[in-house]
Amino acid sequence: MKIRYWVLPMMLAVTSCRVGRDYARPELNIPGVFRTEVKIDTTMSVLPDVKDFFKNQTLQALIDTAIAQNNELKIAIKNIESAQTVLKKVRLNYLPDLNAQITGNHNISSANSLAGIGNEQFIGSRSVEDFSASLGLSWEIDIWGRIRREKEEALASLLQTEEVKRAVQTQLVADVANGYYNLLMLDRQLEIARQSWQLSDSTLAITNAQYRVGEANALAIKQAKAQLELTRQLVPQIEQSIAIQENALSLLCGNYARKIVRHPWESDEFSDVAKTAYAVSLLSTRPDVHAAELGLRVANARVGIGQALMYPALTITATGGLNSFKASNWFSVPGALFGTVAGGLTQPVFQRRKLKTQYEQAQIEREKAVISFRQSVLQGYAQVSDALIANQKLDEQSKAAEKRQEVLQEGISAAQILFRTGMVNYLEIITAENSYLQTRLNVAQLSREKAGAIIELYRALGGGWK
């Protein structure tokens, strides 16, 4: 009972002696708005849900499949489960260790040894037996807060793995969306290539007819055939790209390579999200930014742990059980009962600078984590600004390209009429056809880039995690 008088003051020390500083977020000085030329009165502080952001239902089904079956995402989930087990273990560090032990010894001393002579005199035999069954308790009192810092580290590590999983999922959604719109663009370009093939074939037929009546020469036929082969070459090239993109998208969805069913997007599919001004506070929902901050919390906790290891450790031990020199009296109570209680302070003195080096390295790692956190915020701000500017400028480029396409379409119709009547030569018609083909392909490419900029905006804003 007297033990209470020296144990209780030590217990009070747990709440009064802690080392290491509590976490405080570094000053970031984030601008009030993203850099963009879009001037809108209202700002959105919450990113729409993925199914509100991407309205194409076929794409939504692909995203659901990818989230359910993607193997990289499954690995991220397993990392969370692993971190959860570590946290469960650390939470029990406040409790004492308890071990059970049963031992039996049989010792025969030499007849010429001091122990042998003594045993002969006192117990009449050089053989000594000892039987013991005991419970041993060891309890480290968390004077300096090391165990608390270990708990902080484990909890921050768990939350960090959850943020990493969210970052993987956000990137997965963006990759699936990019792959899907790549397929739609390639489908459109394949359609354009086949139409241009037919147009070039028609030009070649007219050139042959003109050659037969002496209105065209052999060079004109060669040029028309070369243009036909150029457009014909595009078809298998685009078909190859389609197959490769389908294979990549199948892999993202956790499936073997196969054909992907898709439906063209509507022209206003992204109109309500591309023209919205988003609040800078959305950066805090980016999983990578949050993960970087949690990494800083982990580093801060490790500094506290490293500092606490250089201070004295108070450990209380207790052992109790049954002990006897004879097996027949082993469990004789109360004669076989024994117990011991002890407490001790252990102060590291010289360990070849091991603990101080660990502490200094932990401080350096915390400074690196601060830099990484600030960099993640800077990067996030830049990426969102890039996506907002790209949305605006690509819209302007797309409108100009569509107008050019309209002009060239009118020009190609007029050129074909003039070519049939011999008022323009074969070089002019081939040049017109080639310009029209390239412009149509460019319009399809710009439409894809506009979708890609909006997808990048979704990813840069963190995927809408609350």
Side-chain angles (χ1 to χ4, degrees):
M1 300 295 293
K2 294 181 180 179
I3 297 175
R4 296 179 183 175
Y5 299 107
W6 60 270
V7 171
L8 289 178
M10 295 298 180
M11 296 291 290
L12 292 175
V14 174
T15 59
S16 59
C17 301
R18 285 176 177 164
V19 296
R21 64 189 185 193
D22 291 334
Y23 171 77
R25 175 179 289 180
E27 186 63 38
L28 297 174
N29 298 320
I30 304 177
V33 295
F34 291 110
R35 183 187 179 190
T36 175
E37 297 179 10
V38 178
K39 303 297 182 183
I40 300 179
D41 295 334
T42 60
T43 60
M44 183 175 290
S45 59
V46 179
L47 193 67
D49 182 75
V50 60
K51 291 191 176 180
D52 293 326
F53 203 97
F54 301 108
K55 297 181 179 180
N56 190 302
Q57 295 183 356
T58 306
L59 173 58
Q60 291 176 9
L62 282 174
I63 291 173
D64 290 341
T65 301
I67 291 175
Q69 299 181 185
N70 182 266
N71 289 318
E72 290 185 4
L73 190 57
K74 289 180 180 179
I75 291 174
I77 293 172
K78 290 300 178 183
N79 289 336
I80 293 175
E81 294 175 2
S82 177
Q84 287 173 338
T85 61
V86 173
L87 180 60
K88 289 177 182 178
K89 170 187 172 296
V90 172
R91 280 176 172 170
L92 298 178
N93 283 354
Y94 286 108
L95 301 179
D97 293 332
L98 184 63
N99 299 298
Q101 186 177 25
I102 298 177
T103 60
N105 296 320
H106 183 80
N107 184 34
I108 301 176
S109 302
S110 169
N112 296 328
S113 67
L114 182 62
I117 295 171
N119 289 340
E120 286 280 2
Q121 291 177 351
F122 289 103
I123 62 177
S125 173
R126 289 185 292 110
S127 300
V128 178
E129 295 180 343
D130 184 71
F131 301 93
S132 178
S134 63
L135 289 175
L137 181 145
S138 178
W139 190 13
E140 180 182 351
I141 306 301
D142 191 26
I143 300 177
W144 311 109
R146 178 180 63 81
I147 296 177
R148 192 193 76 164
R149 296 299 181 189
E150 289 177 346
K151 182 180 177 182
E152 288 178 5
E153 177 193 8
L155 179 59
S157 295
L158 170 60
L159 296 176
Q160 188 178 32
T161 57
E162 291 178 349
E163 291 302 322
V164 170
K165 178 254 182 181
R166 290 172 177 172
V168 171
Q169 181 170 326
T170 301
Q171 186 63 55
L172 176 62
V173 171
D175 289 344
V176 170
N178 275 315
Y180 183 78
Y181 286 111
N182 276 341
L183 283 176
L184 295 183
M185 176 200 69
L186 290 169
D187 287 344
R188 177 59 182 154
Q189 288 185 338
L190 181 60
E191 180 185 356
I192 292 170
R194 285 172 174 165
Q195 291 174 354
S196 296
W197 184 357
Q198 295 175 356
L199 182 61
S200 297
D201 188 59
S202 175
T203 300
L204 177 59
I206 296 173
T207 305
N208 282 324
Q210 290 178 340
Y211 179 76
R212 287 192 295 269
V213 298
E215 295 181 359
N217 54 35
L219 179 59
I221 295 177
K222 296 295 183 182
Q223 292 289 343
K225 285 183 177 179
Q227 179 68 18
L228 175 63
E229 295 304 324
L230 176 65
T231 55
R232 180 183 293 172
Q233 178 187 351
L234 284 175
V235 173
Q237 181 180 340
I238 296 173
E239 288 175 339
Q240 175 187 345
S241 298
I242 289 174
I244 292 174
Q245 182 61 73
E246 286 180 327
N247 293 348
L249 198 50
S250 297
L251 181 61
L252 287 174
C253 294
N255 297 320
Y256 289 102
R258 62 185 183 185
K259 184 175 180 60
I260 301 295
V261 177
R262 60 261 190 192
H263 301 286
W265 74 82
E266 299 295 333
S267 59
D268 61 346
E269 185 166 338
F270 298 115
S271 60
D272 56 341
V273 296
K275 298 179 181 179
T276 303
Y278 294 95
V280 177
S281 60
L282 276 171
L283 284 178
S284 63
T285 66
R286 274 179 61 122
D288 61 331
V289 172
H290 203 188
E293 183 174 10
L294 289 166
L296 176 55
R297 285 180 176 270
V298 169
N300 184 72
R302 286 174 180 167
V303 171
I305 294 170
Q307 188 176 1
L309 288 173
M310 296 189 294
Y311 287 80
L314 172 61
T315 304
I316 298 174
T317 59
T319 305
L322 301 169
N323 178 258
S324 175
F325 286 104
K326 294 182 180 180
S328 59
N329 295 331
W330 192 359
F331 296 99
S332 177
V333 179
L337 289 173
F338 79 96
T340 60
V341 177
L345 284 171
T346 303
Q347 169 64 55
V349 178
F350 178 71
Q351 295 188 0
R352 298 181 298 277
R353 211 178 183 277
K354 176 182 176 182
L355 297 179
K356 186 172 180 60
T357 299
Q358 290 177 348
Y359 174 60
E360 291 174 348
Q361 288 178 333
Q363 288 181 307
I364 294 171
E365 291 300 320
R366 179 173 62 187
E367 292 170 0
K368 288 168 59 179
V370 171
I371 296 171
S372 296
F373 175 48
R374 286 176 172 157
Q375 179 62 22
S376 68
V377 176
L378 285 172
Q379 184 175 347
Y381 181 87
Q383 288 175 349
V384 175
S385 298
D386 288 347
L388 290 172
I389 292 171
N391 272 287
Q392 179 187 9
K393 297 305 179 183
L394 283 170
D395 187 60
E396 294 175 5
Q397 293 178 54
S398 182
K399 289 178 180 178
E402 288 173 357
K403 289 181 179 179
R404 184 168 187 266
Q405 178 180 321
E406 291 176 2
V407 172
L408 288 174
Q409 184 176 9
E410 294 173 356
I412 198 72
S413 300
Q416 287 175 333
I417 296 172
L418 294 173
F419 182 59
R420 290 190 183 95
T421 60
M423 298 183 68
V424 297
N425 60 34
Y426 68 93
L427 288 177
E428 291 174 306
I429 189 65
I430 290 175
T431 301
E433 289 179 358
N434 189 58
S435 297
Y436 184 50
L437 169 62
Q438 296 303 321
T439 300
R440 296 184 70 193
L441 293 175
N442 186 42
V443 168
Q445 177 66 33
L446 285 172
S447 296
R448 164 65 187 91
E449 290 180 9
K450 286 173 60 180
I454 297 174
I455 294 168
E456 174 57 20
L457 179 62
Y458 166 83
R459 191 202 64 77
L461 289 170
W465 294 104
K466 308 297 188 293

